Each structure stands twice: as C-alpha cells, then as structure tokens.
Amino acid sequence: MPTRANIYPELKVRSPLEQAWLLFRKNTLAMIGLWGLGFLTLFTLFGPWLAPYAPYEQFGEALLLPPSWAAEGNIDFFLGTDDLGRDLLSRLISGARLTVGNAVLIVLVALLVGGSIGILGGMSRGMKASILNHLLDTLLSIPSLLLAIIFVAILGPGLLHTLFAITLALIPQFVRATYNAVSEEMQKEYIVALRLDGANQWRILRYGVLPNLSDTLVSQTTRALSAAILDITAVGFLGLGAQPPRPEWGAMLSDALELVYLAPWTVTLPGLAILLSVLVINMVGEGLRQAINEVMD
C-alpha cells in the first residue's frame, strides 16, 4: 500500500544557536582551533593523569636530553629533558593547569564583575555614568601588564598575587566593552518601544539588551583570555609570578633562558605552548564572532 504524501509539510526553523553552530562548522580555521582548544582543555583538566611522569621527578642519567626525533634523543622522553633531568612533556602538560586553567578562572571572574558593572553603568544616566566613564578612561590608559606588575610589586611575588593583580587589571576592559555595548543598545528604537510599552529596567535588560551582547562578550572574553595567558607567563618570566620549580610556562622560560644555546628545546617548547594556546583561542573566538554576526544580520 503506497504511503500517503504529506500535504502539510512542516518547516523546521532552526534556533539561533543551531544556526550559529552550522555557520561555525563551515569555518575551517575555526574548527581547527576548536580541536586544538579541546586538546588544551583536556590537558588543563586531566594534566596530572595524562603526563607520563611527575613534573618534579628528576632522572640523573638523562640530563639535557634532546627530543626523541633527534639523533641523541630517547623515546622515553618524547620532548627531551631539562638541566635537572625533568621530562619536558610532563612539565608542559602539568603547566597547562597553572597557565591556561588560571587564565580561564580570572577571566570568568573579570567577566562577571566587569560585565555587571558595565551593564549597570550603561543603563544608568547622569553623574553616575559620567564618573564611571572618566574613571574607565583613566584605567584603560595603563596597559594591563603594567597594572599587573605594579600590583605584584606592591603585594609581593607569587602566583596567587599574580592572579589577583591580573584580574583587577582585566575588569576595567570588561566594564568598558559592556558599558559601550549597553549604551549603544539603549539608544535603539526597539528599546524605546519597550519603554513606551511600560517595560521596567529588568525587562528591558532581559529581553532587549542581553540577547544583543553576545558578540561583544565573545570578542572581549577571547581577547581577555589571550591577554591573561600572556600576562601570567610574562609576570612568571620576570620572576614575579609562579616560582620555580612550579611548571608554569613563563617560569619555565625564565628558568631555561641561560640554556638557549646549549639546549634550545628547553626554551622553544614552552614558547610554542604559549603561542599555540593563544592562537587556538583567537581562532575559536573569531569564528564564534563571525557566526554570531551572520545570524544576527
């Protein structure tokens, strides 16, 4: 018996999230960055269990061993060892938690605090908004790395002080980005229509402002995460952040700097880890921003 034709075909309308994902998947660079970010997340969450050796374990018979693909290399130490015989692959994997994991935490804190202040400032008027605007202009004129170094110099060296200082340095960037985006949204016609309809501030924020902040938040979060990784490693490189023998990537760079000619892999590998981490984060962030813009347009 022949099946009946569907006289009333249903047209499935994809949600904005599904449309953004389909557009994101078409971006080859963004998908490569997503795979890289997945591996980076895996190392950050499960680094101590994935590393072949403990990050502080020393092998006296394998000092300054080159990577395994070199003629003098050993497959047991895939990326070679440092001057104390510690496995570099294990230290890099374990250091992902100290560098990338801490960067994610401080960016989330800066996003929550700075985003909340920016939303409140953008929806307010008069003297309160003007004071916030001028205060942000003053803070943003100072680079975040310089602010972090000043705070660490006052509080003293250490990873915890570094994270606190970088968080304080990143909050004004989120406040400014959110403040500008909310102020721009509040001038649009549909916000005026919501006001004429009798909507209160919470309803305007929930249904009129927040749905249109995704582009700003994705862009600013991506930039802040890259900046946080670079700032953590830079402060660690200067000896003000994580202290040796902790396998933070910036501290590893600083510790191996005197070996740059004798054992260049001890400097190159932490530098590559920092470079690739920032690169994949920016690739994913740019892909998300483009997909969200196309959906909103």
Side-chain angles (χ1 to χ4, degrees):
M1 184 176 180
T3 57
R4 294 183 178 180
N6 188 358
I7 327 180
Y8 305 104
E10 295 183 1
L11 180 62
K12 182 182 178 182
V13 179
R14 293 189 176 92
S15 66
L17 186 61
E18 291 176 326
Q19 295 179 42
W21 170 243
L22 289 175
L23 291 169
F24 183 86
R25 288 181 59 183
K26 294 179 181 178
N27 190 331
T28 305
L29 287 178
M31 288 303 296
I32 293 173
L34 184 62
W35 278 101
L37 186 60
F39 284 113
L40 188 61
T41 304
L42 190 67
F43 293 147
T44 302
L45 295 177
F46 306 106
W49 297 276
L50 294 176
Y53 306 102
Y56 307 111
E57 187 175 1
Q58 299 180 13
F59 299 89
E61 72 282 358
L63 300 179
L64 291 179
L65 201 65
S68 58
W69 55 83
E72 300 83 8
N74 189 333
I75 194 63
D76 292 334
F77 305 99
F78 186 70
L79 294 181
T81 60
D82 60 10
D83 55 337
L84 296 178
R86 297 171 296 191
D87 181 52
L88 282 177
L89 177 60
S90 301
R91 288 179 63 77
L92 288 174
I93 292 177
S94 300
R97 176 172 292 188
L98 293 174
T99 304
V100 181
N102 285 328
V104 172
L105 289 178
I106 64 178
V107 167
L108 288 178
V109 173
L111 170 62
L112 291 175
V113 176
S116 302
I117 297 174
I119 289 173
L120 291 175
M123 297 189 69
S124 61
R125 299 177 181 177
M127 183 66 68
K128 186 164 55 176
S130 178
I131 292 174
L132 179 63
N133 196 11
H134 292 299
L135 178 63
L136 290 174
D137 287 339
T138 303
L139 291 175
L140 289 173
S141 63
I142 307 174
S144 62
L145 179 58
L146 180 58
L147 275 177
I149 292 174
I150 292 172
F151 285 131
V152 170
I154 295 172
L155 298 174
L159 183 59
L160 186 60
H161 291 167
T162 297
L163 300 181
F164 179 71
I166 296 175
T167 304
L168 292 179
L170 289 178
I171 286 176
Q173 300 180 15
F174 278 99
V175 176
R176 165 58 73 189
T178 312
Y179 176 85
N180 288 339
V182 173
S183 298
E184 185 179 345
E185 291 296 321
M186 293 296 289
Q187 307 300 322
K188 293 186 177 177
E189 295 180 355
Y190 61 85
I191 299 295
V192 177
L194 282 173
R195 283 177 173 163
L196 293 176
D197 198 35
N200 56 24
Q201 290 288 84
W202 166 247
R203 190 174 181 85
I204 292 173
L205 173 64
R206 182 178 178 183
Y207 296 104
V209 176
L210 286 181
N212 296 297
L213 291 183
S214 54
D215 178 30
T216 300
L217 293 180
V218 167
S219 301
Q220 185 58 41
T221 302
T222 304
R223 287 195 294 267
L225 188 53
S226 302
I229 292 175
L230 293 175
D231 287 351
I232 290 173
T233 53
V235 175
F237 179 79
L238 294 174
L240 300 174
Q243 302 297 308
R246 301 189 77 176
E248 194 275 314
W249 293 345
M252 289 176 64
L253 269 174
S254 176
D255 196 32
L257 195 59
E258 59 186 16
L259 303 172
V260 64
Y261 296 111
L262 180 63
W265 61 88
T266 58
V267 178
T268 305
L269 293 174
L272 280 176
I274 298 169
L275 173 64
L276 292 177
S277 300
V278 173
L279 183 62
V280 297
I281 289 169
N282 285 333
M283 289 166 67
V284 172
E286 182 63 20
L288 282 174
R289 190 190 64 79
Q290 292 178 2
I292 291 171
N293 281 341
E294 289 188 37
V295 170
M296 293 178 66
D297 292 342

